[in-house]
Amino acid sequence: MDGNGDLAFPALVAARLLLAFSPLPDALKYDQQLSSPLTSYSRLREGIYLFQHGIDPYSGGSFRHSPLLLSLFSTVLPLTRYTSPILWTAVDSGAAWALVQIWRLRAGAKRTSRDGQIYALYLLNPYIVLPSLALSTSSMENLLCLLAVMFACRGRASAALLALACLVQLSLPAVLLVAPTTLLAITRPVSRLALARPFDVQGKQTIPLIAEFVGYSALLTFASTFVCGNWRWVEKTWGASLTLPDLTPNPGLWWYFFTEMFDHFRPFFLMVFCVHLLIYIAPVCIKFQHDFLYAVFLLVGVQALFKPYPTLSDPGLFFSMFSIFPEIYPYLRHPIVTALIHLHASLLLPLFNSLWLRQGTGNANFFYASTLVFGMGNGAALLDAIWAGLRVAIGELKEGYEVAQE
């Protein structure tokens, strides 16, 4: 144990703040890879302007942020050219701090030699830094996600469920994390990947927590309705994740598919895509019932891969969470291949985006091809994580023996 992490953290935050006040954010604000219609800073500013002038921002078709952000930034935290970089830097710093707390709770130590590495892997992760410099509200979603997991690891179920309810208000696909986070608050985050034994969770433990989450969600929903004065926000925010009304290009797998979709097939495939996200919850929670923190990690990866309106920040959170599971590193199956696919995609995405939307020498197929490569990289990382999590429990197989998990 040492204090390197405590020294590295302020240095990383200072470097991040310098970047935030550089000319770089102005060049990134309108990049579709870093901001989606649900997380765009320019759309947030537009909605705040309309709201402050007595116009319902949800009466149009461009504003899709949660009313919680609308009320927060129009009253308590006004967004300016000076406050916004500081706020987003503080959000990233808080998320990095929460990630290190999760690691410490999992390791059962107040301070470890890996703390500085974990700070750096979050605050220097390009998938995290670039969307944050673009002032995408996906950075706030990452913070709420990590705070929910941190509170669950500490056994503070109420705080975890409140943070999770706030996250769902901002991003509906976060409902994937409700079950594993609730169960994590009961079981605590001690590493059990190498001891794959069934965990007995009593219904009387989970039902009150689920009811509490529903209560927080209902309270926040009514508060949002009070802010807006009507229920139109539900269709524009949550409804956008279910009906995909805005087909602005993004790094995800949905937009091009539904751009080419015939209208009479659209409702069916929307239902299939939405249900597809939900089918992972039970299998992941059951298979990794001995380590619900790892189940949360995997479902964050599922969300990053199949989210309707993703940004680079979503896989960025998944890759940053790899740092709190060092025991799986020896069991990753194809880490070099996965890394090279992501390197390839990180070059293709901006190149093909520029060829299509700026140079005019390409078309939508160019950019969609790069998003497929990016999706393949995310899928490869997710499969590697699943394989490694299962392989840890088996250990080194001895010749002539078969080992099966319970």
Side-chain angles (χ1 to χ4, degrees), residues 3 7 12 35 38 58 60 73 91 105 121-122 129 146 155 160 181 206 211 233 269 310 321 334 358 360 370:
L7 296 175
L12 290 167
S35 299
L38 277 65
Y58 297 102
F73 294 133
V91 165
L105 290 164
L121 285 171
Y122 190 89
V129 173
L146 290 173
T181 304
T206 58
W233 68 272
F269 281 99
M321 290 184 73
H334 304 295
R358 292 184 177 86
S370 63

Side-chain angles (χ1 to χ4, degrees), residues 129-376:
V129 173
L130 293 176
S132 182
L133 291 177
L135 303 180
S136 169
T137 57
S138 58
S139 299
M140 298 177 184
E141 295 172 12
N142 287 354
L143 171 63
L144 287 171
C145 178
L146 290 173
L147 285 177
V149 175
M150 182 193 74
F151 287 131
C153 290
R154 288 180 172 175
R156 298 174 59 183
S158 296
L161 294 174
L162 179 58
L164 200 55
C166 292
L167 175 59
V168 171
Q169 291 288 317
L170 270 58
S171 176
L172 187 62
V175 295
L176 270 70
L177 307 179
V178 174
T181 304
T182 302
L183 294 167
L184 176 61
I186 298 171
T187 61
R188 310 304 285 273
V190 178
S191 176
R192 299 186 184 90
L193 284 177
L195 299 170
R197 299 290 184 270
F199 187 83
D200 184 22
V201 178
Q202 302 292 330
K204 63 182 180 181
Q205 294 175 287
T206 58
I207 292 175
L209 295 180
I210 295 296
E212 186 176 355
F213 171 78
V214 171
Y216 289 141
S217 297
L219 183 63
L220 291 172
T221 299
F222 284 116
S224 298
T225 305
F226 177 76
V227 168
C228 298
N230 57 60
W231 289 89
R232 191 177 291 141
W233 68 272
V234 175
E235 176 193 351
K236 298 296 183 180
T237 57
W238 290 347
S241 296
L242 299 174
T243 60
L244 208 75
D246 193 319
L247 295 175
T248 300
N250 59 64
L253 304 175
W254 288 46
W255 67 274
Y256 187 81
F257 185 85
F258 285 97
T259 297
E260 302 296 324
M261 177 65 60
F262 291 111
D263 287 344
H264 55 282
F265 290 129
R266 184 180 172 90
F268 171 75
F269 281 99
L270 280 171
M271 181 271 294
V272 171
F273 274 53
C274 291
V275 172
H276 176 253
L277 269 170
L278 299 176
I279 64 175
Y280 293 95
I281 301 174
V284 170
C285 288
I286 291 171
K287 190 60 183 175
F288 290 94
Q289 60 185 286
H290 51 282
D291 197 329
F292 284 111
L293 180 56
Y294 203 76
V296 171
F297 164 61
L298 293 179
L299 288 173
V300 167
V302 169
Q303 181 184 220
L305 179 59
F306 297 116
K307 195 175 181 180
Y309 289 102
T311 66
L312 296 185
S313 186
D314 296 295
L317 175 61
F318 176 62
F319 289 124
S320 296
M321 290 184 73
F322 264 100
S323 60
I324 61 176
F325 302 103
E327 66 268 34
I328 70 171
Y329 295 169
Y331 300 100
L332 293 172
R333 197 169 188 183
H334 304 295
I336 296 177
V337 174
T338 301
L340 289 175
I341 292 174
H342 268 278
L343 178 61
H344 186 54
S346 67
L347 298 174
L348 288 182
L349 281 169
L351 175 62
F352 284 174
N353 181 270
S354 178
L355 285 176
W356 175 31
L357 298 177
R358 292 184 177 86
Q359 305 297 325
T361 55
N363 56 42
N365 293 319
F366 280 56
F367 184 64
Y368 188 59
S370 63
T371 64
L372 290 178
V373 175
F374 184 63
M376 184 170 67

Side-chain angles (χ1 to χ4, degrees), residues 391 394-403:
R391 189 70 175 76
I394 298 174
E396 295 295 331
L397 289 178
K398 295 181 180 180
E399 187 177 353
Y401 289 88
E402 290 185 3
V403 183

